[in-house]
């Protein structure tokens, strides 16, 4: 049986007071629409169609869904009709409908709603209901025994109906032929002069067909985002969920409320994350690491047993056993092979440290290749930019770069070489070479006893 989902996201989202379409506002680093599409896919619904407006249509490519533009927003029922008119017809198929402003809906709820159509005698429509504290702007569920008889929008409700605390969450499943029939018959004789999808309930009940409620356990699961206070609430809830998943997988998160995670991270067990830490994009962190406090790691790969304190790591790789921080900034495709030490106030950009390289204090290493076990003294700078172009610095193995060395790139310093404190290196240094001064010159060979 064909199962498709239609996500309604063409509304103007006026209460966000924003130039950006509502469903593109982010929670935990992803647009809210991303979560709805991901949850539908997780529920086994691969064919997802999003109803967009012109602004959203311009950005819909990133979601890898089919989209249909609803030019005029005449209501949720109209949005569904516009979508169905543009889709091939499968009368005995099933259609799940979701609203794009509800990013917290777990996959299980979509699955359960779709399954409810066929359980316990066929129904024409299933819909998620939720008990919610009053007052609320949600549509009210008017029941007739175990079934739903009507949904009344808050704006159209009588005082008695407003006292009902069972609400329409805004998640539905239909058999397709019946849905097509229902939306073709909707009227807009209500307070907003809109075609309400929710009026499909009365359409079915009039024909003696069944509408089955699917109660949701937690009203946070169906939180609809209409303004930025709700956006913040949803972020908090989503972050708590992501943290919980990692904690259950063996990660210690000292304070989930001040640890900001995103949905697609991999974090190994026995890693400990301290407060004030943000981990984002497709970052992978290995096992037994210590991360934070006050650290930002984005789109990075961190090995096993790595310590990162009060530092920023962006688009870079840190190998096993390395110690970073406090106050280091590693960025721009830097790669540290492992057992590295990067200390206070060190910036590394687009550089490669082989195993055991150390730069413990106050340095800038940009566009550099550094060989095994080399020590970069405090205050070292690779002068990689000549005002118009970037140049490379190559430093060999077991080199000792003295404190406050400036290396004017492009430059090569051979294996086992040494620069004295305060050197300004303007010429290549051969393997084993020893230079010092400004500009750096070879040091006189050490006096041998026979020279005296
Ligand atoms: C809707 C429900 C209400 C439910 C609530 C849950 C209707 C009539 N009412 O009300 O019963 O309790 O959701 O959050 O459905 N949209 C379009 N095109 C349109 C109009 C809306 O795509 O022409 C989209 C919006 O972008 C939004 C969704 O449909 O994602 C819901 O619309 P919204 O205006 O937010 O409906 P609510 O008033 O919240
Ligand atoms: Mg809404």
């Amino acid at each position: 049986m064909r199962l498709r989902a239609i996500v309604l996201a063409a509304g103007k989202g006026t209460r966000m007071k924003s130039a950006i379409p509502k469903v593109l506002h982010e929670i935990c680093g992803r647009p809210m629409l991303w979560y709805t599409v991901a949850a539908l896919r997780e529920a086994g619904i691969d064919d997802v169609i999003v109803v967009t407006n012109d602004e959203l249509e311009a950005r819909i490519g990133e979601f890898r869904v089919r989209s249909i533009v609803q030019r005029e927003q005449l209501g949720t029922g109209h949005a569904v009709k516009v979508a169905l008119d543009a889709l091939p017809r499968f009368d005995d198929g099933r259609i799940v409908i979701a609203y794009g402003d509800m990013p917290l809906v777990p996959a299980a709820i979509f699955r359960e709603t779709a399954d409810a159509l066929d359980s316990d005698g066929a129904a024409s429509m299933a819909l998620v209901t939720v008990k919610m504290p009053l007052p609320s702007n949600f549509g009210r569920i008017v029941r007739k025994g175990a079934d739903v008889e009507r949904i009344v929008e808050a704006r159209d409700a009588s005082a008695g109906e407003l006292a009902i605390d069972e609400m329409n969450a805004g998640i539905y499943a239909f058999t397709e032929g019946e849905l097509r029939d229902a939306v073709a018959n909707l009227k807009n004789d209500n307070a907003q002069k809109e075609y309400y999808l929710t009026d499909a309930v009365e359409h079915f009940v009039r024909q003696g067909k069944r509408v089955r409620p699917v109660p949701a356990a937690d009203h946070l699961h169906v939180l609809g985002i209409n303004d930025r206070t709700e956006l913040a609430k949803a972020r908090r809830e989503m972050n708590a969920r992501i943290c919980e998943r990692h904690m259950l997988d063996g990660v210690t998160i000292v304070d989930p409320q001040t640890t900001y995670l995103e949905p697609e991270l991999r974090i190994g067990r026995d890693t400990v994350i301290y407060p004030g830490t943000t981990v984002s994009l497709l970052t992978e962190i290995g096992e037994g690491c210590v991360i934070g406090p006050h650290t930002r790691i984005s789109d990075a790969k961190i090995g096993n047993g790595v310590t990162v304190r009060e530092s920023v790591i962006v688009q870079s790789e840190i190998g096993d056993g390395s110690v970073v921080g406090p106050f280091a900034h590693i960025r721009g495709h830097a790669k540290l092979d492992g057992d590295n030490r990067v200390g206070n106030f060190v910036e590394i950009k687009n550089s490669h440290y082989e195993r055991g390289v150390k730069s413990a204090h106050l340095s800038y290493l940009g566009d550099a290749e550094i060989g095994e076990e080399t020590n970069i003294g405090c205050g070292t700078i690779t002068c990689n930019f000549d005002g118009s172009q970037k140049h490379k610095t190559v430093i060999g193995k077991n080199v000792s770069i003295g404190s406050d060395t400036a290396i004017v790139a492009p430059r090569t310093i051979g294996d086992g070489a040494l620069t004295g404190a305060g050197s300004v290196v303007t010429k290549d240094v051969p393997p084993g070479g020893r230079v010092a001064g400004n500009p750096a010159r070879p040091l006189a060979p050490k006096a041998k006893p026979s020279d005296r």
Side-chain angles (χ1 to χ4, degrees):
M1 180 202 313
R2 192 145 190 135
L3 179 60
R4 296 187 284 191
I6 299 175
V7 180
L8 305 190
K12 294 188 192 71
T14 23
R15 282 168 284 177
M16 294 300 281
K17 304 206 170 123
S18 174
I20 304 163
K22 176 162 80 173
V23 298
L24 297 182
H25 282 263
E26 291 189 355
I27 66 169
C28 301
R30 301 290 183 284
M32 54 175 111
L33 180 60
W34 183 93
Y35 292 93
T36 307
V37 173
L40 286 165
R41 297 237 157 96
E42 196 188 325
I45 308 172
D46 294 323
D47 198 355
V48 176
I49 298 107
V50 179
V51 179
T52 61
N53 55 29
D54 288 320
E55 290 92 56
L56 178 59
E57 185 63 17
R59 288 259 324 260
I60 202 70
E62 68 193 65
F63 297 95
R64 298 170 198 288
V65 293
R66 209 170 347 164
S67 64
I68 292 162
V69 181
Q70 182 196 20
R71 289 252 132 71
E72 256 188 306
Q73 284 82 45
L74 303 180
T76 48
H78 176 255
V80 172
K81 183 167 187 313
V82 168
L84 289 175
D85 287 349
L87 289 171
R89 186 171 183 132
F90 299 97
D91 274 351
D92 59 353
R94 301 281 185 268
I95 300 230
V96 168
I97 294 179
Y99 295 157
D101 62 355
M102 295 170 53
L104 298 175
V105 179
I109 290 189
F110 289 131
R111 191 70 248 171
E112 213 186 316
T113 313
D115 291 347
L117 282 178
D118 301 295
S119 64
D120 189 23
S124 301
M125 175 179 183
L127 63 96
V128 177
T129 72
V130 62
K131 293 264 183 192
M132 211 176 252
L134 293 172
S136 160
N137 294 324
F138 274 46
R140 305 300 203 267
I141 302 288
V142 181
R143 287 255 196 174
K144 187 171 159 199
D147 285 2
V148 179
E149 187 178 56
R150 236 160 17 102
I151 298 174
V152 194
E153 288 308 298
R155 282 191 182 83
D156 303 305
S158 66
E161 288 163 340
L162 282 176
I164 299 173
D165 70 347
E166 188 180 22
M167 315 283 169
N168 172 34
I171 300 162
Y172 320 87
F174 299 85
T175 48
E176 185 177 326
E178 293 192 282
L179 175 60
R180 284 181 183 272
D181 191 37
V183 294
N185 284 294
L186 293 176
K187 305 223 157 43
N188 66 346
D189 49 0
N190 51 54
Q192 297 193 88
K193 298 275 166 282
E194 286 189 0
Y195 296 91
Y196 290 163
L197 179 60
T198 44
D199 286 347
V201 176
E202 279 184 273
H203 168 86
F204 293 127
V205 169
R206 245 184 274 124
Q207 300 178 0
K209 293 179 175 158
R210 300 189 65 185
V211 176
R212 178 161 300 134
V214 179
D218 185 343
H219 71 89
L220 271 181
H221 287 168
V222 297
L223 178 71
I225 296 174
N226 295 304
D227 63 33
R228 298 193 201 227
T229 67
E230 288 164 341
L231 186 72
K233 241 187 248 167
R235 189 216 58 82
R236 204 181 315 129
E237 166 67 14
M238 181 58 75
N239 192 62
R241 254 190 231 177
I242 297 170
C243 286
E244 188 176 293
R245 178 165 58 76
H246 288 291
M247 291 189 283
L248 293 174
D249 281 349
V251 176
T252 295
I253 298 180
V254 173
D255 181 15
Q257 291 196 31
T258 58
T259 301
Y260 305 91
L261 302 185
E262 293 192 359
E264 295 176 285
L265 306 171
R266 284 165 59 179
I267 308 176
R269 55 170 160 175
D270 292 322
T271 283
V272 180
I273 304 184
Y274 285 91
T277 295
T278 299
V279 188
S280 53
L281 296 174
L282 301 178
T283 293
E284 287 176 31
I285 297 176
E287 297 186 355
C289 295
V290 175
I291 308 292
H294 307 294
T295 289
R296 179 161 68 88
I297 302 181
S298 179
D299 207 10
K301 193 160 186 263
I302 312 290
N304 298 319
V306 172
T307 296
V308 183
R309 299 257 191 219
E310 284 104 350
S311 290
V312 175
I313 300 176
V314 180
Q315 285 191 323
S316 293
E317 269 181 57
I318 312 293
D320 297 352
S322 298
V323 178
V324 174
F327 312 115
H329 184 191
I330 302 180
R331 64 185 180 94
H333 305 284
K335 182 172 188 301
L336 278 54
D337 286 351
D339 297 325
N340 299 106
R341 168 86 185 98
V342 178
N344 318 240
F345 309 106
V346 173
E347 178 179 358
I348 303 174
K349 187 219 77 174
N350 186 34
S351 292
H352 176 203
Y353 280 27
E354 287 183 5
R355 192 160 287 281
V357 171
K358 295 179 178 59
S359 56
H361 329 269
L362 294 158
S363 292
Y364 172 64
L365 284 306
D367 307 302
E369 284 283 339
I370 307 176
E372 269 173 36
E373 301 296 337
T374 282
N375 187 66
I376 306 291
C378 172
T380 296
I381 294 172
T382 53
C383 312
N384 60 333
F385 187 50
D386 63 11
S388 61
Q389 283 188 59
K390 298 279 168 67
H391 299 283
K392 246 186 118 144
T393 299
V394 179
I395 302 174
K397 299 178 192 173
N398 298 305
V399 172
S400 178
I401 301 290
S403 293
D404 198 24
T405 293
I407 303 167
V408 184
R411 212 84 292 152
T412 297
I413 297 179
D415 292 348
L418 170 149
T419 69
S423 300
V424 178
V425 180
T426 57
K427 294 197 170 111
D428 289 353
V429 180
R434 295 153 54 86
V435 300
N438 177 8
R441 295 194 175 86
L443 290 170
K446 276 188 193 147
K448 293 185 201 129
S450 57
D451 293 339
R452 275 196 218 131

